[in-house]
Amino acid sequence: MKNFIENLPKAELHLHIEGTFEPELMFSIAKRNNIKIKYNSVQEIKAAYQFDCLQDFLDIYYQGASVLINEQDFYDLTYSYLQKCASQKVRHTEIMFDPQTHTERGVIFETVINGITRACNDAKEKLDVSSLLIMSYLRHLSEEDAFVTLKQSLPFKHLITAVGLDSSEKGNPPSKFKSVFEASIKEGYIPLAHAGEEGPPEYVWEALDILKIKRIDHGNNCLQDEALVKEVIKRDIALTVCPLSNTALQVVEDLKDHPLKKMMELGLKVTINSDDPAYFGGQVNQNYIEVQEALDLTKQDLYELAKNSFQYSLLDEASKQQYLEELDVYYVGKK
Ligand code: ADE
Ligand code: ZN
């Protein structure tokens, strides 16, 4: 199974670039930028990665991102992740970035997007991994703040495919961002959002009906509402599920209790993703491997999950077909 997973062509659809920041790279970038971080070693950093909930994690995640200053920092961060994609048979990835995490500290939007984009272009050419970008608004900040970010993004609109909504879910319902999502859609961005990770099913309804989202990030709490499950299926909207994130943030106590298999049985379209791999103990393949073991998933299940990852990506139809054919060639040989 491990070998089957490692060579399975797949896409990653839920990934925060700031969450790929490995401690080793964090130290080296901090050093070249003359920034002191509060940990003395990689071991000390890793030991600090014990979280009781999403907010616990976010506090550390924003601290880590604060050493990113120059375009080259964003390039190195992104290229390092894309190399991991290449080695895991991730053929395509949809990368979320949080501009406000950086612009709030005085790093300009252009620095962030240029570094990330240059890495994506190089990865396409040198590693044959395709990617696109999702600009995520931080929901703990105001809608007005999100509007500032939207405006800053416009000169780079051609480099961005979608908008997302992340950060502290509880107490920050999707409805808070109604107007900025409307404006983002008018600019041509595809609307996506985290919903139902820690928040209630009502937040998922709002994300669907008010923000008009085309994909749900996480969505675990959909299962608490039968009508919602039916609606998500009816609208053919996929869930980007992140098993190791869920256990790390105690959204799910044990992987054996993870709802992924139940979601599939109900007819929901599910994908497997790493969310913030540097913080949650595993890249995307590790997520596949551990969830396969915990839930006793079959090769057919894994094939369906990989198929969904291409099918529900934001790629154009021709590119989707190409990747799906590659997957089918692999699967038929390995069935
Ligand atoms: N930002 C980075 N990872 C996140 C997650 N899992 N939920 C919400 N916001 C995030
Ligand atoms: Zn996420």
Side-chain angles (χ1 to χ4, degrees):
M1 276 297 185
K2 188 165 178 278
N3 185 54
F4 177 79
I5 289 168
E6 284 170 350
N7 292 294
L8 181 71
K10 60 185 79 67
E12 177 149 62
L13 306 183
H14 183 158
L15 181 281
H16 302 263
I17 200 62
E18 293 87 353
T20 68
F21 206 1
E22 295 290 344
E24 292 80 1
L25 185 60
M26 200 181 286
F27 269 113
S28 90
I29 291 182
K31 194 168 167 209
R32 77 184 182 207
N33 288 341
N34 275 322
I35 295 174
K36 182 108 190 71
I37 47 180
K38 72 177 208 185
Y39 304 102
N40 292 308
S41 65
V42 169
Q43 290 80 351
E44 238 183 73
I45 294 194
K46 288 198 169 153
Y49 292 174
Q50 304 288 335
F51 314 112
D52 285 335
C53 61
L54 175 59
Q55 193 58 51
D56 247 16
F57 152 70
L58 290 170
D59 294 341
I60 288 190
Y61 160 90
Y62 294 128
Q63 255 178 40
S66 69
V67 307
L68 299 162
I69 307 284
N70 302 304
E71 186 184 311
Q72 191 63 35
D73 304 341
F74 291 93
Y75 177 92
D76 291 346
L77 175 69
T78 308
Y79 200 73
S80 158
Y81 162 66
L82 289 161
Q83 284 177 314
K84 293 201 175 75
C85 287
S87 69
Q88 295 182 91
K89 263 291 164 148
V90 174
R91 304 286 292 111
H92 171 72
T93 177
E94 312 206 328
I95 300 177
M96 269 182 268
F97 70 110
D98 294 341
Q100 289 153 295
T101 299
H102 314 297
T103 52
E104 261 196 328
R105 303 180 285 112
V107 176
I108 61 172
F109 192 99
E110 184 177 5
T111 300
V112 179
I113 192 123
N114 283 351
I116 296 174
T117 300
R118 189 157 57 82
C120 291
N121 292 342
D122 282 357
K124 181 67 205 155
E125 192 187 317
K126 296 182 184 148
L127 307 170
D128 195 23
V129 173
S130 64
S131 52
L132 55 80
L133 298 183
I134 303 165
M135 174 176 79
S136 273
Y137 299 122
L138 296 181
R139 68 203 301 162
H140 67 275
L141 301 178
S142 67
E143 185 178 53
E144 198 184 344
D145 219 292
F147 264 111
V148 172
T149 303
L150 171 60
K151 192 159 173 233
Q152 288 168 344
S153 78
L154 296 181
F156 309 97
K157 200 161 90 168
H158 57 292
L159 304 175
I160 301 167
T161 303
V163 289
L165 186 64
D166 62 3
S167 193
S168 324
E169 188 180 10
K170 282 183 181 164
N172 294 298
S175 49
K176 178 176 161 187
F177 296 92
K178 180 180 193 285
S179 304
V180 77
F181 265 67
E182 272 170 14
S184 303
I185 292 167
K186 276 205 189 109
E187 294 295 345
Y189 295 135
I190 297 170
L192 313 173
H194 283 55
E197 179 185 17
E198 284 188 342
E202 291 72 34
Y203 283 20
V204 184
W205 280 113
E206 284 192 9
L208 292 173
D209 289 339
I210 300 177
L211 304 188
K212 316 281 184 208
I213 60 166
K214 302 293 177 212
R215 204 162 68 202
I216 301 169
D217 289 321
H218 296 294
N220 299 41
N221 291 340
C222 285
L223 296 187
Q224 295 170 15
D225 181 339
E226 237 178 84
L228 177 57
V229 169
K230 275 197 188 142
E231 189 61 25
V232 172
I233 294 169
K234 192 174 130 204
R235 294 194 200 186
D236 196 25
I237 284 180
L239 271 51
T240 63
V241 172
C242 308
L244 293 179
S245 161
N246 292 157
T247 47
L249 301 185
Q250 314 213 19
V251 167
V252 173
E253 207 173 301
D254 191 294
L255 265 193
K256 288 201 168 3
D257 307 322
H258 198 281
L260 178 128
K261 196 169 176 176
K262 171 137 193 253
M263 288 167 167
M264 292 175 81
E265 284 163 3
L266 287 168
L268 286 162
K269 299 298 179 185
V270 184
T271 64
I272 290 186
N273 310 271
S274 69
D275 204 3
D276 302 283
Y279 292 89
F280 299 150
Q283 304 290 324
V284 66
N285 279 358
Q286 194 61 25
N287 275 268
Y288 271 83
I289 289 166
E290 293 196 28
V291 89
Q292 184 281 321
E293 278 171 8
L295 304 180
D296 201 20
L297 300 181
T298 63
K299 283 188 180 173
Q300 179 67 28
D301 293 330
L302 298 168
Y303 164 74
E304 293 294 336
L305 289 159
K307 190 171 170 183
N308 288 343
S309 75
F310 294 121
Q311 195 82 57
Y312 292 89
S313 72
L314 305 176
L315 285 165
D316 59 77
E317 282 308 313
S319 308
K320 278 186 195 179
Q321 280 316 314
Q322 262 188 5
Y323 284 130
L324 286 166
E325 273 168 33
E326 187 181 325
L327 172 65
D328 277 351
V329 166
Y330 175 78
Y331 183 57
V332 170
K334 301 273 173 180
K335 226 185 314 198

